[in-house]
Amino acid sequence: MNQAIKEQVASQDGTKSLWDASKLYYNAGSFLESAKCLFQLLALEVENKSVDYVRLKKISVLAASAVEENKNSLGNRVGAGDRRMVLDDEESTSAEHLFLDDPWHAAEAYNLMIVAQTFYVQADYGKALRAAGTLCLYMDVLDPVHIFSTIALAGTSLKRWDVVNEALMRLVNMDGTPPAVRDEMEHFADELFAKCSPNDVDRDAALPTPMCMKCKERISIWGVRCEGCDTKYPLCMATGSPVTEAEVWQCDFCHHHCAASAILKRHVCPLCHVPRR
């Protein structure tokens, strides 16, 4: 069956071939092959410097969902044997191995970038900053320039010059930052902080991030782990914020979390879009 599908799409080129192959494999029940085609498509989009995060999320969610369907077809066995089957495939690249090992990681990244941008467009800058800070967990997927630019924009709108300064400094000091970007960020920082000092902020004003339920310290804007007691909180796919509420909703399909208050008005999971129960 797989060989017949390969022959059927061999005459096509590029993304259409991969799209068609993924559908044929999926309909034939070859979910892992479908996922690999979609991952290859995602890699092409990234290689072409696509910033259409809605499209990138769509592809990565479909790919991760195919992996999830494969697990379900095996009776919900996480499947060490199944994973070995994938990893032993000589045609699989090391990048595909990584994707199949953590299939939802890219989908999470693109989803949270959309969340942060949506909050910013809605002028909800506090939530935009909190979601953007979480993007630092996904620098292996997202362009750090886009991450720290989003943080800096939200921080500027909140007049949190200390956060803006840290975002710019992290970007400037990263080994992989292109020299042209580094020079541009340094020039921007010089102009901005000549007027607005990073120390000229209300230190008593809490950053838009929740308090730890255990030690009552504010969770870092840059992650989901409390620096006071090292408690790690689940990440809300609807807000990009750590979930510190007593009630946490979890999707039955992709197993990601949302704060109960954030899922109330939603009919589907904000990540995989499967109807919630």
Side-chain angles (χ1 to χ4, degrees):
M1 176 65 74
N2 287 358
Q3 183 60 36
I5 293 174
K6 290 180 181 178
E7 292 174 358
Q8 185 171 342
V9 300
S11 60
Q12 302 176 10
D13 294 321
T15 59
K16 188 178 189 310
S17 173
L18 290 169
W19 270 121
D20 290 348
S22 71
K23 293 175 185 177
L24 290 169
Y25 279 127
Y26 189 92
N27 291 335
S30 297
F31 299 119
L32 285 179
E33 292 300 325
S34 176
K36 286 167 66 175
C37 288
L38 288 164
F39 175 66
Q40 291 173 38
L41 180 59
L42 181 63
L44 286 175
E45 293 284 336
V46 172
E47 185 179 343
N48 292 331
K49 307 294 184 183
S50 172
V51 291
D52 184 347
Y53 291 116
V54 173
R55 177 176 171 81
L56 293 170
K57 176 187 172 180
K58 177 181 177 180
I59 297 170
S60 54
V61 166
L62 287 172
S65 296
V67 176
E68 208 68 38
E69 289 287 7
N70 184 71
K71 293 178 184 177
N72 294 338
S73 72
L74 296 173
N76 268 331
R77 298 193 301 271
V78 175
D82 173 59
R83 181 169 296 174
R84 281 195 297 270
M85 178 189 72
V86 177
L87 298 183
D88 289 342
D89 183 356
E90 293 182 357
E91 295 182 0
S92 297
T93 66
S94 58
E96 286 171 343
H97 292 178
L98 178 61
F99 172 78
L100 292 166
D101 194 50
D102 191 3
W104 289 102
H105 186 66
E108 295 166 11
Y110 298 127
N111 175 72
L112 293 172
M113 176 61 86
I114 294 169
V115 168
Q117 292 181 340
T118 300
F119 281 139
Y120 186 83
V121 170
Q122 294 172 346
D124 197 338
Y125 303 124
K127 290 182 179 179
L129 179 58
R130 175 57 262 193
T134 304
L135 298 177
C136 294
L137 301 174
Y138 299 93
M139 287 197 287
D140 57 331
V141 177
L142 301 170
D143 186 340
V145 175
H146 297 167
I147 293 174
F148 291 115
S149 296
T150 304
I151 294 171
L153 279 171
T156 298
S157 298
L158 291 171
K159 298 184 179 180
R160 287 302 304 235
W161 313 120
D162 52 338
V163 175
V164 176
N165 179 61
E166 184 168 356
L168 294 176
M169 290 304 100
R170 286 192 181 201
L171 180 57
V172 166
N173 293 325
M174 284 185 62
D175 292 337
T177 302
V181 173
R182 183 177 289 109
D183 292 343
E184 183 180 355
M185 291 299 102
E186 288 178 339
H187 178 69
F188 172 75
D190 289 341
E191 286 191 342
L192 176 64
F193 297 133
K195 303 174 183 177
C196 310
S197 170
N199 297 319
D200 188 20
V201 295
D202 182 2
R203 297 285 179 176
D204 294 328
L207 283 168
T209 187
M211 286 196 302
C212 175
M213 296 174 66
K214 292 186 177 181
C215 69
K216 306 305 179 185
E217 285 197 15
R218 288 280 175 184
I219 299 172
S220 170
I221 199 76
W222 309 97
V224 294
R225 188 181 297 275
C226 175
E227 295 179 350
C229 64
D230 203 39
T231 299
K232 184 179 180 180
Y233 288 92
L235 180 58
C236 178
M237 286 292 117
T239 65
S241 179
V243 181
T244 57
E245 298 179 7
E247 294 186 20
V248 183
W249 177 84
Q250 186 175 28
C251 177
D252 291 332
F253 181 73
C254 71
H255 311 296
H256 286 76
H257 300 86
C258 278
S261 59
I263 200 66
L264 284 177
K265 296 181 179 181
R266 295 175 178 266
H267 299 292
V268 299
C269 171
L271 179 62
C272 69
H273 303 285
V274 168
R276 71 182 183 92
R277 298 176 184 177

